[in-house]
Structure formats: structure tokens, C-alpha cells
Amino acid sequence: MTTVAQAQPNIALIKYWGKRDHSQNLPAVSSLSVTLQSLWTRMSVEFRDNDGPDTLLVNDAQAPAMLARVSHCLDLVAGPVRPRADVISHSNFPIGAGLASSASAFAALVIAAEGECGGSRNLLDLARIAGASSGSAARSLYGGFVVLTARQDEIDVQTVCESSEWPLEVVVAITEEGPKPVGSGEAMIRGEKTSPFYSSWIERQDDDLTAARDAVLARDFAKLGAIAEHNCLKMHSVMWSSRPPIVYWNSATLSSMETIRALQADGLPVFFTIDAGPQVKAVCLPEAADAVTVALRQTRGVLNTMRSSLGPGARKMEVV
Ligand code: 2P0
């Protein structure tokens, strides 16, 4: 039997950066994200009878560097005394490049593994397991606008507004297609240990989250954009002020931000956010999405754009 699940990446508007507990991968801060529609990871899991190691294919290639994390996640779902698994992952967007591919991968993995072992956990328990493997993956279990609340020893996750209730669009400007130089887990640890801005980042996060959630509930685009851009630049300030510094941006990242500033000056409803990579995500109202796409495509250094509306959480697809 093989179980297949699909999940979409999510884009944080109020960012997760820093961990409260490394052994359990508990985030130090709460976050708010939007789950996408048209970018996806499909993950198939098959538990087999014979011995031998777990196997992992990512986009048709062996992925030894990811295998230990995948095996650990399978242990969390099915217990350490489980059958070995053959896992196959396909994504329709660049992976490891600041497009939240680990979020969609681990969200899809927990759903597929839970189906394959016949479990009946609820969504929040599965989100907690996904989050133990990749903090942002917990949010991809849910659709629309998602709040992840970081408590002392666990997380809570919930949808605060469905995608149909506020159908924003996201246009991603791809400025580089290779993998990032420093993984986000390692980069977070460096920020916690060395950035002089880390403590104020943590202190102010709840205020940013409250402002963003209120903006979502009020469908106040300008307010959401202002707090999201501020929160994004604060996170990157922690990265830049780490020692050694972590700078994920390139010149096309900055050019894309300038493009978005120019569109805002023309009155278009659009704002930017940037994650642990050089890509720029432009979040906009649907009527602005065509103009945003054209402007970003014409921006120097932008290789490509991808466009998505907001979508549902991870779900099981088929058992064959
Ligand atoms: C986020 N990022 O909120 C932030 C913004 C990147 C920048 O969550 O160490 O791969 O596996 O828990 O989930 C990327 O970090 O980190 C991330 P781990 P993850 O989306």
C-alpha cells in the first residue's frame, strides 16, 4: 500500500525566527502565514516488509542529506519500532531556495505517514509533529491565514481566516535558483547566539502578531502590509547583525523591493516579504496581480515569477 499526500508551502507575514527549545524544535515566537494554492509538494510513503534502511527520492534523485530528518519524522508519526519506508517527494517549485519547501514537504510527510500507518490523530497533533521536524511545516497543515502560537512547551495552530474570505494573491520573484548558503535552522542558532537585536526581536513579536491578526480580521490590507514589511525587515536585521552575518539577499532582491515600492507609490495594493533566501514575495489584492507580475518580470535580475492564490491545508490524496 502507498499513501500520497499533498501540501502547499506557506509564506509567513509575521515571521518565525529563533527557537525556544532546540531538542523539540519549539519556536521562540508566534507567527502568522498564508498557505499557497498552486505551489505544491506531493509525498508518497510506503511501509515495506523487508529490512534495510528507509529510502528517499526527491524530484527523482536520492537525497541522503534529508534522509535522517525524514526518518526521524516517520519515527514521530509511526513510532521508532516501525517498518522501513520508501518515501518519494515531488515539488513543482525550486527546493531549498527560500520558498518554504521544507514546510510543504514535512506537512505532506506527516499526513502521508499517518495514513500509511492507519493512525487517527487530529490535525493539531499532526501539526505539532510536523513542527518538530520543521517549525514552519506546522502551518502548512492548515489553509488560508494561519496563526501559530508559541507556548512554553507546545504550539497551537489555527486558521483565523479562510482563503475564500480574503482571497489575496502572491507573486514570487525568483532571483536565484540554487540552494541557499546557510540553512535556516543553523542561521537561527547563529542569530540567537550573536545578534544584539535578537532580544528585542523576541520582545516585540506578540505586538506585531496582534497587529497583523487584527488587520486580517478587519481585512485591512494597508495595515497588514505595513506590519508585515516591518516584521520582515526586523527578522533580516537579526540575520544581518549575526556574527558572521547572514545575508540572503542579492541585488535583484533589492531591485524587486524597489519595484514594489514604486507600485505602492502608484497606489497599487501590494507589499513585500522575504524569507530565508533571495526571493521576493509580493502579496497583493487580486486586481493588482497582473500589474505586479509584469513589473516584477521587468525588474533587473528577476529570472522568473510564480503566482499563486491562497489555498487549503495539507491533505491525503490517494491510497494505491
Ligand atoms: C517563517 N522561516 O516563518 C520563517 C521566515 C524562514 C524565514 O520558518 O529549523 O525550515 O526546520 O524549524 O521551518 C524557515 O525555517 O526551520 C522558516 P526549522 P524552517 O517561515
Side-chain angles (χ1 to χ4, degrees), residues 10-19 25-27 29-33 69 98 100-103 106 130-139 180 183-186 188 201 205 235-236 239 248 273-277 281:
N10 66 78
I11 306 295
L13 306 183
I14 300 297
K15 309 292 191 185
Y16 149 50
W17 198 252
K19 298 175 200 272
N25 204 40
L26 281 173
V29 288
S30 300
S31 53
L32 184 152
S33 62
R69 270 177 92 185
S101 56
S102 71
F106 284 100
S133 292
S134 172
S136 56
R139 301 187 307 239
K180 56 184 137 192
S184 42
E186 185 188 333
M188 283 186 213
W201 159 253
Q205 183 77 347
M235 178 187 74
H236 284 274
M239 297 173 181
Y248 286 116
T273 191
I274 306 163
D275 293 297
K281 289 99 184 199

Side-chain angles (χ1 to χ4, degrees), residues 111-143:
I111 296 280
E114 177 79 350
E116 185 68 3
C117 69
S120 57
R121 290 185 180 90
N122 64 33
L123 200 57
L124 180 57
D125 285 341
L126 290 172
R128 286 173 172 155
I129 292 175
S133 292
S134 172
S136 56
R139 301 187 307 239
S140 274
L141 271 289
Y142 294 76

Side-chain angles (χ1 to χ4, degrees), residues 14 204-213 227 230-231 234:
I14 300 297
R204 300 186 182 212
Q205 183 77 347
D206 282 349
D207 290 346
D208 288 5
L209 183 78
T210 300
R213 185 183 6 220
I227 193 67
H230 172 67
N231 188 265
K234 268 197 305 198

